[in-house]
Amino acid sequence: FAKLLRREASAVIKKLISHGVMATINQEIDVETMSVIAEEFDVTVIYKEEVDESNFEEQEEVDAPEDLVERPPVVTIMGHVDHGKTTLLDQIRNSNVTAGEAGGITQHIGAYQVEVNGKKITFLDTPGHAAFTTMRARGAQVTDITILVVAADDGVMSQTIEAVNHAKAANVPIIVAVNKMDKPGVNPDRVKQQLMEHGLVPEEWGGDTIFVPVSALTGNGIEDLLEMVLLVAEVQELKANPNKRARGVVIEAELDKGRGAVATVLVQNGTLKVGDGIVAGNYFGKIRAMINDRGRRIKTAPPSTPVEILGLPDVPSPGDQFMVFEDEKKGRAIAEKRMQKRIEEERGASSRVSLDDLFKQIKEGEVKDLNIIIKADVQGSAEALKSSLEKIDVEGVNVKIIHSGVGAISESDIILASASNAIVIGFNVRPEPNARSMAEQEKVDIRLHRVIYNVIEEIEAAMKGMLDPEF
Ligand code: GDP
């Protein structure tokens, strides 16, 4: 902005500060502020609006500070298998039902809300980081706070570390719930020590990570945990504008025999109302009914509310974003455009793995692609790896995940790798015997790993080695 004005950045910052905007040099400022500041320099801002609303997830309109109100935090629970994620989610759900709601939360819709000290907290009901990663892979940042569950008797395990890395990558604060404290002889300090090695230093040892000893089974410590969630939320100053058209994310969706397409969405901003026309993923529909986590029909859903909606013509995918478009014609056109775009993307993706195209790519030799095939033990890991690797940013080299799947590394993986000059990453899986010998023959490099972080480190190093030497 300073450049456009042909002024020193410091002069612009000074003006901003004099208007009460405590700006730094790389801060984004909104159009209104720009106009005011420009005027101070005798420059007029002409704002040309040129928005293609079909990619609305990339366009967040800025809310005026006075329109913003506090919203509940959205919490995801992550941790190693069997460390007590599901038990904790159930315990929180059952013991924090608002007074007068004797029935409790009977409805599992993929997320629920509880009230603690008069404040609400929204929990995503799918434990584990598959959900977290799927959302992020689709560009939706849903989680405000992660509760990392670590069983005190078991300590830090592989998925614990993965979860830490997911949360870190997404810049989401972590609260550690040291679970199973009811078991005899368990020592929470061991968990603290182990997590310190991964950068989570307990507050009482001079760091800024909150550790709460709990028992998901007995309910001990859960109240403390929830109070800590509220504390961290307060520091984050989570806000939204309830007085505008809603936007948010699809958490779950399915086709119900009686009710048609049913989607659970999380409202992130604005207020969703029955009768609203929305585009969710690639579909436009009018909301016929909304049902909350207690199975009650509701008419409005303010920010951070999870709610089941009826009225979409088809089933969107988890992680798809939605937005209200009151103009039905426009809504339909946007949905159609999004559908078209997705079809084109899929076409592009499949041509990448066809032999013709791969051969062409290699021959061109201009772009230095690092082609990668991922095989993992579970879909969640494969997706997590894929999205992590695609994010590696080394100048001049382009990471391409040409295939990712679940199961042992097979001959067909090797054929594909050989044809596309790709390396194969096995995550918690091994090659089949035939595949191994074929790989030797074809000189295909297979790398086996058990920790996502190690894969990323290795690939990054390899990419740096691939660069042209600088003279
Ligand atoms: P998840 O895989 O992380 O969702 O773990 P679960 O919630 O399914 O719990 C795995 C096992 O640990 C179950 O048998 C639970 O009953 C048990 N468990 C969970 N939390 C506690 C706890 O606080 N204390 C004890 N003793 N057992 C627990």
Side-chain angles (χ1 to χ4, degrees):
F1 182 49
K3 253 185 216 160
L4 281 174
L5 290 175
R6 299 206 174 80
R7 304 290 157 140
E8 292 292 327
S10 59
V12 175
I13 288 175
K14 239 186 239 163
K15 282 274 187 267
L16 280 165
I17 289 174
S18 77
H19 280 85
V21 183
M22 294 300 152
T24 57
I25 193 148
N26 44 21
Q27 183 163 341
E28 281 191 26
I29 47 179
D30 58 27
V31 181
E32 234 166 277
T33 313
M34 271 188 218
S35 309
V36 174
I37 301 299
E39 225 154 85
E40 295 255 11
F41 292 107
D42 286 317
V43 173
T44 308
V45 170
I46 298 168
Y47 182 54
K48 269 209 271 187
E49 196 150 6
E50 223 179 279
V51 275
D52 171 7
E53 286 193 284
S54 73
N55 51 358
F56 54 78
E57 44 272 87
E58 280 149 38
Q59 306 153 6
E60 175 69 291
E61 57 277 29
V62 189
D63 291 298
E66 63 268 24
D67 294 335
L68 291 170
V69 297
E70 203 180 301
R71 65 165 176 86
V74 178
V75 180
T76 308
I77 296 188
M78 297 207 275
H80 197 72
V81 63
D82 279 347
H83 279 199
K85 297 179 293 291
T86 314
T87 312
L88 182 63
L89 275 163
D90 289 345
Q91 181 69 250
I92 293 170
R93 189 200 327 256
N94 296 330
S95 53
N96 288 276
V97 189
T98 335
E101 284 185 318
I105 305 170
T106 46
Q107 196 91 348
H108 283 250
I109 64 168
Y112 64 81
Q113 250 182 1
V114 294
E115 212 169 290
V116 182
N117 303 339
K119 295 201 168 197
K120 288 185 169 133
I121 304 174
T122 303
F123 281 90
L124 293 194
D125 207 356
T126 350
H129 44 243
F132 190 87
T133 318
T134 313
M135 300 279 160
R136 288 226 312 136
R138 287 173 179 269
Q141 177 87 320
V142 179
T143 308
D144 299 308
I145 297 169
T146 290
I147 293 180
L148 179 68
V149 179
V150 188
D153 56 341
D154 224 11
V156 168
M157 306 292 275
S158 60
Q159 288 167 313
T160 315
I161 298 161
E162 277 180 31
V164 170
N165 291 329
H166 280 304
K168 275 192 190 161
N171 249 328
V172 173
I174 297 171
I175 297 174
V176 182
V178 184
N179 193 29
K180 307 201 183 180
M181 287 304 292
D182 57 289
K183 286 199 167 182
V186 292
N187 176 13
D189 279 358
R190 190 171 67 112
V191 174
K192 290 182 191 169
Q193 232 133 27
Q194 289 174 326
L195 280 176
M196 280 231 312
E197 287 163 33
H198 300 279
L200 298 183
V201 184
E203 275 189 320
E204 57 273 35
W205 297 354
D208 57 6
T209 304
I210 297 171
F211 284 70
V212 187
V214 300
S215 168
L217 204 61
T218 66
N220 258 345
I222 304 293
E223 251 181 68
D224 292 343
L225 180 65
L226 296 178
E227 272 165 24
M228 289 306 150
V229 168
L230 288 178
L231 193 78
V232 172
E234 212 174 292
V235 174
Q236 285 179 299
E237 294 187 24
L238 304 168
K239 289 188 171 156
N241 175 4
N243 295 311
K244 65 174 187 181
R245 62 176 175 160
R247 65 190 293 154
V249 177
V250 175
I251 304 291
E252 277 184 11
E254 59 169 20
L255 200 59
D256 184 284
K257 258 197 210 139
R259 303 186 294 169
V262 180
T264 297
V265 300
L266 176 74
V267 179
Q268 292 184 294
N269 208 348
T271 295
L272 192 61
K273 304 184 198 76
V274 170
D276 277 349
I278 71 167
V279 174
N282 310 320
Y283 305 111
F284 175 85
K286 276 203 165 162
I287 298 186
R288 232 173 37 231
M290 295 202 292
I291 298 129
N292 70 6
D293 55 359
R294 324 255 142 127
R296 301 232 173 101
R297 285 188 170 238
I298 54 172
K299 290 242 172 322
T300 59
S304 292
T305 312
V307 66
E308 213 174 51
I309 59 169
L310 307 184
L312 287 173
D314 208 328
V315 185
S317 309
D320 274 348
Q321 304 193 28
F322 78 83
M323 180 137 187
V324 168
F325 288 92
E326 276 320 327
D327 181 348
E328 182 166 343
K329 218 169 121 194
K330 185 167 165 190
R332 285 189 195 287
I334 284 172
E336 199 144 303
K337 191 160 177 195
R338 288 167 69 88
M339 180 65 90
Q340 209 56 45
K341 239 192 274 178
R342 187 170 284 189
I343 290 168
E344 274 161 29
E345 273 166 21
E346 272 165 17
R347 221 179 265 143
S350 61
S351 72
R352 232 181 282 152
V353 283
S354 91
L355 285 173
D356 284 352
D357 254 36
L358 289 171
F359 184 61
K360 205 174 88 206
Q361 274 177 18
I362 295 160
K363 259 202 330 199
E364 275 170 4
E366 288 294 311
V367 185
K368 278 195 172 174
D369 286 331
L370 178 58
N371 291 338
I372 296 176
I373 292 170
I374 298 169
K375 290 305 283 286
D377 52 344
V378 291
Q379 190 60 31
S381 305
E383 272 165 24
L385 256 179
K386 184 169 185 291
S387 68
S388 307
L389 287 173
E390 278 171 342
K391 253 181 260 118
I392 294 181
D393 185 28
V394 173
E395 211 191 337
V397 192
N398 195 10
V399 174
K400 270 195 182 158
I401 311 299
I402 59 169
H403 178 62
S404 79
V406 173
I409 298 163
S410 66
E411 278 182 87
S412 80
D413 294 327
I414 303 300
I415 293 169
L416 182 59
S418 161
S420 53
N421 200 17
I423 67 156
V424 180
I425 294 170
F427 187 77
N428 283 328
V429 296
R430 311 196 69 79
E432 289 166 9
N434 294 347
R436 190 185 286 277
S437 52
M438 189 179 220
E440 265 162 18
Q441 208 179 325
E442 300 284 329
K443 296 198 165 43
V444 168
D445 194 2
I446 300 180
R447 304 284 171 140
L448 303 176
H449 284 284
R450 295 191 168 272
V451 179
I452 285 193
Y453 177 74
N454 291 349
V455 182
I456 294 158
E457 208 174 45
E458 185 176 69
I459 298 296
E460 246 182 56
M463 286 171 79
K464 286 179 181 152
M466 267 181 64
L467 289 172
D468 283 330
E470 279 183 30
F471 294 105

